[in-house]
Amino acid sequence: MWITISALNLAIAVMVGAFGAHGLKARASEIQLGWWQTATDYFFYHALGMLCIAILMHVAPQLHIKRSFIFMQVGIVLFCGSLYVMALGLPRGLGAITPIGGAFMIAAWLDLAWKARKVV
C-alpha cells in the first residue's frame, strides 16, 4: 500500500508539472509560475522520499517509520497544495498554510532520522 501511494504521488507530480509547463504558461504571472514550480519541485522530492520510506518499511521494519510517511504526505498536501491553489489565482491568504506543510515535511525527515538513530 505504501509503495502504491508513493507511486501515485509521483504520477500526480508528473501531471501537475506538465500542466504547469504547458497549461499555465500563457495564463499565469511569473510569480504564479514560480509558486507552481516550487510546489512541483517539493512534490517530487517528497514523493521520492516517500518511496524510499516505503521501501525502508519493507527492508527494515524495526524502524517503525510509518509516522514519517504520514507526515510527509500531509506536508505534500498542505505545502504543495496551498502553492498550487495560489498559483491558480485563489486567495493568497491560503499561503498561511504553506509553512505548516513545510513543518510537516521537516518533521517527517527528523522523525526518520530519530528512528534510524535508534536502530543503528
Side-chain angles (χ1 to χ4, degrees):
M1 177 174 90
W2 305 107
I3 292 174
T4 302
I5 292 169
S6 302
L8 289 171
N9 272 305
L10 286 162
I12 293 167
V14 171
M15 289 186 273
V16 295
F19 177 73
H22 302 291
L24 279 184
K25 230 173 198 171
R27 298 183 194 127
S29 70
E30 286 299 316
I31 291 172
Q32 289 170 305
L33 290 173
W35 292 333
W36 196 273
Q37 184 64 51
T38 299
T40 302
D41 289 347
Y42 277 80
F43 197 165
F44 270 112
Y45 302 147
H46 289 85
L48 286 170
M50 288 173 66
L51 181 60
C52 292
I53 290 171
I55 292 167
L56 276 172
M57 287 167 139
H58 290 287
V59 175
Q62 71 275 19
L63 284 176
H64 304 290
I65 52 178
K66 180 179 171 183
R67 183 172 57 193
S68 300
F69 188 93
I70 292 167
F71 282 177
M72 205 164 288
Q73 182 66 66
V74 171
I76 287 172
V77 170
L78 295 178
F79 182 88
C80 301
S82 64
L83 288 175
Y84 286 137
V85 166
M86 288 186 343
L88 292 172
L90 295 172
R92 284 181 129 186
L94 292 172
I97 297 170
T98 308
I100 297 168
F104 270 98
M105 290 172 166
I106 293 166
W109 292 114
L110 291 175
D111 185 61
L112 179 61
W114 182 258
K115 298 289 176 58
R117 181 197 60 81
K118 288 184 172 184
V119 173
V120 175

